[in-house]
């Protein structure tokens, strides 16, 4: 099993590379370290279980995703399948300093790529 | 020390502004130098309560009171009320519509999560009249002058 970076985590910059992602929020500093990744479309699940500092992969793009991520202290949000949020949602994320990313991979593919690159889930 | 009371209106089915009241509470707690974990717990509880008021309440209000002993958050709405509170508190129970589920809510986890994060949580409701939540935080709360 490949677990190269699991102890030290992976930087957001590296995540962008792995997912061939677009940084929607512009010139954010992307040096923060991602410890764990979670995939869900349930905001209450994020609020109940996801630790601050985690990265969220989701298929939802409404403004409550940004509020939920902000309130939960997440390190960033990746929108999958090339579904981009609206300008208003991106503006809100910039306002609160939450990096947003867009990948054309599906949730399953995006998660798989990150996992193979050494990012574990939160139960490991 | 004098602490002002704050009130924030919550609008029925306004999904664009939903969350604003909770973010105001977060800002105020930050300004009062509350520790990060406490701010996170309080804001999560507020947000779950606010979303419920937006979705199930017919307009509401969130108020924040603070004293040397703790942080007190009240969320009141004039919605249909909850017929069976014990059932509503159960994880997984939800009456959310398809529209709400598509927004990422309706997992039946909000009320249990408020309970989990708060130091004290009471909920009272009258069918046809509305619902009132009282959410209290004490642990981790220290006032600067203490
Ligand atoms: N303010 C309220 N007024 C009327 N009914 C409510 C209110 N808050 C909660 N309920 C009822 O209790 C149920 C459970 O609420 P809870 O917040 O736990 O879950 P949910 O809102 O359905 O889903 P989630 O919070 O996970 O998005 C709701 O589906 C609803 O039927
Ligand atoms: Mg809820």
């Amino acid at each position: 099993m490949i677990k190269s970076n699991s102890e030290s985590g992976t930087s957001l910059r590296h995540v962008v590379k792995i997912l061939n992602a677009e940084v929607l929020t512009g010139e954010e500093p992307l040096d923060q370290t991602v410890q764990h990744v979670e995939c869900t479309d349930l905001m209450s699940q994020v609020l109940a279980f996801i630790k601050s500092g985690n990265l969220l992969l989701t298929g939802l793009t409404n403004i409550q995703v940004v509020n939920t991520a902000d309130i939960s202290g997440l390190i960033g949000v990746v929108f999958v399948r090339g579904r981009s949020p609206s300008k208003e949602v991106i503006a809100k994320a910039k306002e609160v300093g939450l990096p947003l990313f867009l990948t054309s991979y599906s949730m399953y593919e995006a998660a798989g790529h990150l996992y193979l690159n050494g990012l574990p889930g939160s139960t490991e | 020390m004098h602490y002002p009371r704050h009130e924030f209106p919550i609008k029925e089915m306004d999904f664009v502004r939903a969350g604003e009241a909770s973010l105001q509470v977060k800002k105020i707690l930050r300004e009062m130098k509350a520790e990060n974990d406490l701010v996170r717990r309080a804001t999560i509880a507020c947000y779950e309560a606010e979303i419920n008021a937006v979705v199930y309440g017919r307009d509401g209000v969130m108020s924040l009171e603070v004293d040397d002993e703790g942080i007190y958050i009240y969320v009141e709405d004039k919605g249909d009320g909850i017929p069976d509170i014990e059932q509503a508190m159960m994880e997984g129970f939800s009456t959310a519509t398809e529209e709400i589920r598509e927004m990422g809510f309706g997992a039946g986890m909000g009320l249990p999560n408020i309970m989990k994060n708060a130091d004290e949580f009471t909920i009272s409701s009258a069918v046809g009249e509305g619902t009132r939540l009282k959410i209290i935080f004490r642990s981790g709360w220290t006032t600067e002058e203490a």
Side-chain angles (χ1 to χ4, degrees):
Chain A
M1 190 176 148
I2 309 160
K3 250 196 161 180
S4 53
N5 291 314
S6 64
E7 253 53 75
S8 54
T10 298
S11 72
L12 281 177
R13 195 181 315 285
H14 193 205
V15 166
V16 169
K17 219 184 262 169
I18 295 165
L19 296 180
N20 197 10
E22 185 188 333
V23 185
L24 298 172
T25 36
E27 293 303 304
E28 292 281 344
L30 300 178
D31 306 316
Q32 300 110 289
T33 302
V34 182
Q35 298 295 351
H36 297 290
V37 182
E38 295 281 349
C39 303
T40 188
D41 288 343
L42 288 174
M43 294 305 111
S44 278
Q45 197 163 344
V46 176
L47 292 157
F49 300 125
I50 302 190
K51 295 200 190 75
S52 57
N54 284 10
L55 180 72
L56 174 67
L57 267 55
T58 187
L60 292 184
T61 58
N62 68 70
I63 192 131
Q64 298 310 329
V65 176
V66 169
N67 284 340
T68 299
D70 177 26
I71 287 166
S72 305
L74 302 191
I75 198 168
V77 178
V78 179
F79 299 103
V80 298
R81 267 187 208 282
R83 276 189 65 201
S84 181
S86 68
K87 270 192 234 127
E88 290 76 18
V89 172
I90 295 169
K92 177 84 191 186
K94 280 187 184 170
E95 191 187 308
V96 299
L98 177 77
L100 300 183
F101 309 99
L102 180 65
T103 180
S104 52
Y105 288 129
S106 70
M107 187 111 100
Y108 175 69
E109 291 162 341
H113 282 294
L114 293 175
Y115 195 85
L116 285 177
N117 275 276
L119 270 159
S122 59
T123 61
E124 296 178 66
Chain B
M1 171 120 187
H2 173 72
Y3 297 102
R5 180 175 196 273
H6 301 269
E7 272 193 16
F8 311 101
I10 301 172
K11 278 252 153 292
E12 178 182 4
M13 287 316 239
D14 184 347
F15 274 110
V16 176
R17 283 199 309 180
E20 292 304 321
S22 303
L23 291 170
Q24 289 296 319
V25 169
K26 177 181 177 180
K27 193 164 157 247
I28 291 166
L29 295 180
R30 274 261 151 81
E31 282 165 7
M32 290 194 301
K33 304 270 188 325
E35 61 177 53
N36 285 344
D37 181 62
L38 176 61
V39 175
R40 185 174 190 266
R41 285 193 295 131
T43 313
I44 287 176
C46 280
Y47 183 65
E48 291 284 15
E50 181 175 0
I51 295 290
N52 280 354
V54 168
V55 171
Y56 312 108
R58 205 138 297 140
D59 294 337
V61 64
M62 178 182 295
S63 32
L64 171 68
E65 286 172 18
V66 173
D67 66 20
D68 292 331
E69 260 79 66
I71 297 164
Y72 312 84
I73 292 150
Y74 304 90
V75 183
E76 285 167 89
D77 68 62
K78 300 190 208 70
D80 293 334
I82 303 173
D84 184 342
I85 289 178
E86 209 178 306
Q87 184 185 42
M89 286 296 302
M90 273 164 41
E91 201 168 304
F93 176 82
S94 178
T95 60
T97 61
E98 196 51 38
E99 184 197 358
I100 291 152
R101 288 174 197 275
E102 277 167 14
M103 302 264 321
F105 297 97
M109 291 168 69
L111 293 175
N113 199 21
I114 296 173
M115 180 80 137
K116 193 181 94 186
N117 281 288
D119 291 314
E120 275 172 50
F121 174 43
T122 47
I123 176 168
S124 50
S125 189
V127 173
E129 284 171 36
T131 301
R132 180 181 156 92
L133 275 61
K134 183 176 172 186
I135 311 166
I136 303 179
F137 297 87
R138 298 185 202 279
S139 57
W141 176 240
T142 44
T143 50
E144 266 176 87
E145 281 170 314

